[in-house]
Amino acid sequence: MANSDLSKLKILFIYDYFKRELDAFDDNNGVSVNELIAYLEEKLGYVFERKSIYADISRINEYVSKTCEVDGADSWISVEGKKYHKNQIRGEISVDEARLLVDAINTTEFVDSNLNKKIIEMFPKYFDENYRSRALVPHDSKMSQRKIIWLNIIRGAIERKECLKITYGYKLGNELAEKSEKSISPMALDWRNSCYYIIAIDNVAAAKLLKEGKSIESALKHYRYDRVANVDFDLKQKYVDFPTKRAHEAAIKRFIEVSVSSYSGGIPIALPLTIMGENRKMVLQAYNAFASRIGQVPNIDDTKLDKGRLDLIFKTTDVPTLYTGLFELATFEGISIGIGNETVRQKYAEYLKRATGGLSEIAKD
């Protein structure tokens, strides 16, 4: 029997059993030799001798030791009493990591739900019936297969440094209005506010800057993916990039850090801002809402927080979304703000004047 086809298959089925059916992160999860014999009889229709099982486990351990690194144990498969257990291979996905992936896929529209099924099939022991009954409710809508394909085109264009033509518009219900075609040199994908953003050079703006002998950094733009109506290659346009890899990476890093201005181009400024309220908790509530809009704030002075004051400095640019964020911050009950930049303060005052003037017109109507 040693040289038969069944015997050759047996070791593969044993390896597959330990890989798929046992959980290295559960000390109580094990299998006896009798259970393995029953499993093999079910799969191959033959009752194998115990000593052949022992020999195959030894060979599997030898193979794993030569191809992987086992954490905290001498071998991948070990025995305690009458049960064999699987130990963790370094880099192996844990039960928590696998479930986090499935939860993330369930709750975003940007990932094909079929990927969920594939992960569950890869790690069936991580997803028993008890887990599935308490899992997150799937997202109501999923991204179309066409838009998933476009994402892959964008990723490929970033890797190969190829220009793209995108049709870009404004959301109006479930449709896109005022669409226009843009030629871009894509450089990265960002994920914010439960949506992908394409970080790219606007090729038209870059051409003008290069003609004037200026840096192309201000031509970096953010394009929100759910406002993209079509993606195609721009074969007539040459890819525009920074002169060195280091300059490329530094520009992308600066662009992402300037969180409010990431949705538009512009020269970044450091804006001092003071948030004042009746008490510590009130100020923190307002700050956390504002921080979720602008991202990480590198400079924070909380020495006066117990007195209801928080001072911070963050990078931004002079764009409409800045004044929208400041307005939302100031609408928190009991909160007032101080702006440490005269230009921004004057423009914010003009923004408030237009906003309150608009409210007056609405009241008259």
Side-chain angles (χ1 to χ4, degrees):
M1 190 67 199
N3 296 321
S4 72
D5 291 339
L6 284 179
S7 184
K8 294 174 184 177
L9 283 173
K10 170 167 60 74
I11 191 170
L12 297 177
F13 272 87
I14 293 173
Y15 175 81
D16 186 67
Y17 183 91
F18 277 96
K19 189 172 181 63
R20 288 169 45 83
E21 302 297 334
L22 293 190
D23 181 0
F25 302 88
D26 183 358
D27 293 335
N28 298 317
N29 189 224
V31 62
S32 67
V33 174
N34 286 337
E35 288 169 331
L36 280 174
I37 290 172
Y39 168 77
L40 292 168
E41 182 181 8
E42 178 188 347
K43 295 294 183 182
L44 299 175
Y46 187 88
V47 179
F48 292 92
E49 296 180 1
R50 300 171 69 90
K51 63 181 182 180
S52 70
I53 306 292
Y54 300 143
D56 284 344
I57 290 174
S58 179
R59 292 189 189 97
I60 291 170
N61 274 334
E62 184 179 351
Y63 165 75
V64 172
S65 69
K66 292 181 182 297
T67 58
C68 308
E69 191 171 347
V70 178
D71 278 340
D74 295 328
S75 60
W76 185 45
I77 302 171
S78 59
V79 62
E80 289 183 26
K82 295 183 178 181
K83 294 277 188 178
Y84 282 94
H85 300 268
K86 180 176 75 172
N87 297 306
Q88 182 185 357
I89 293 175
R90 185 161 296 177
E92 184 177 9
I93 293 178
S94 71
V95 58
D96 291 335
E97 291 167 337
R99 289 178 175 181
L100 179 61
L101 284 171
V102 168
D103 286 349
I105 293 166
N106 264 337
T107 53
T108 179
E109 60 178 314
F110 282 94
V111 183
D112 191 341
S113 58
N114 286 332
L115 180 58
N116 239 358
K117 297 176 183 177
K118 294 175 183 177
I119 295 173
I120 292 173
E121 288 173 2
M122 286 174 66
F123 306 100
K125 204 64 184 178
Y126 293 170
F127 301 96
D128 56 23
E129 290 301 322
N130 289 331
Y131 170 80
R132 297 183 196 189
S133 67
R134 63 177 184 271
L136 291 176
V137 176
H139 199 285
D140 288 338
S141 61
K142 286 291 182 183
M143 186 57 56
S144 69
Q145 190 63 37
R146 181 178 59 177
K147 298 211 77 170
I148 292 171
I149 292 171
W150 289 347
L151 267 179
N152 291 331
I153 290 174
I154 294 165
R155 292 188 182 103
I158 292 169
E159 182 181 349
R160 295 186 296 271
K161 295 190 174 183
E162 296 172 328
C163 288
L164 295 175
K165 286 188 295 186
I166 63 170
T167 304
Y168 200 60
Y170 295 91
K171 294 183 73 174
L172 184 61
N174 294 324
E175 302 295 328
L176 288 174
E178 298 296 321
K179 291 179 285 189
S180 61
E181 192 173 89
K182 299 181 181 295
S183 175
I184 63 171
S185 296
M187 296 191 169
L189 281 170
D190 192 16
W191 177 264
R192 292 171 184 264
N193 306 318
S194 301
C195 183
Y196 278 112
Y197 288 82
I198 309 165
I199 299 176
I201 290 286
D202 179 334
N203 290 332
V204 174
K208 183 178 179 182
L209 290 167
L210 289 170
K211 189 175 181 179
E212 297 171 354
K214 298 179 180 178
S215 168
I216 61 171
E217 187 162 351
S218 61
L220 268 175
K221 308 284 184 181
H222 240 154
Y223 300 96
R224 188 176 168 113
Y225 189 60
D226 59 2
R227 289 174 56 190
V228 172
N230 191 51
V231 176
D232 201 354
F233 292 101
D234 190 349
L235 301 177
K236 297 180 180 179
Q237 178 68 44
K238 185 179 179 181
Y239 189 87
V240 182
D241 200 356
F242 293 88
T244 66
K245 182 179 179 181
R246 184 175 181 179
H248 172 108
E249 292 175 350
I252 297 296
K253 185 174 184 293
R254 284 192 296 271
F255 184 78
I256 292 174
E257 285 177 349
V258 185
S259 302
V260 173
S261 65
S262 300
Y263 306 93
S264 182
I267 300 172
I269 58 172
L271 179 62
L273 183 69
T274 300
I275 305 174
M276 295 164 286
E278 296 176 7
N279 54 56
R280 176 190 180 99
K281 184 178 180 180
M282 186 178 288
V283 171
L284 284 175
Q285 286 175 333
Y287 165 72
N288 275 265
F290 185 63
S292 67
R293 169 184 279 273
I294 65 171
Q296 185 178 2
V297 178
N299 297 304
I300 300 176
D301 180 1
D302 62 354
T303 55
K304 298 178 182 178
L305 188 56
D306 287 337
K307 296 180 180 179
R309 174 174 175 149
L310 185 66
D311 295 287
L312 50 106
I313 300 175
F314 62 95
K315 289 182 179 180
T316 183
T317 57
D318 189 357
V319 291
T321 48
L322 168 63
Y323 301 100
T324 303
L326 292 172
F327 181 75
E328 289 180 357
L329 175 61
T331 56
F332 272 79
E333 186 175 355
I335 291 293
S336 60
I337 62 173
I339 301 170
N341 180 290
E342 183 61 28
T343 301
V344 173
R345 185 163 53 247
Q346 288 179 2
K347 288 192 174 183
Y348 179 62
E350 293 172 5
Y351 174 91
L352 290 178
K353 186 177 180 180
R354 290 196 304 271
T356 53
L359 288 174
S360 299
E361 291 300 319
I362 292 171
K364 289 177 184 178
D365 291 344

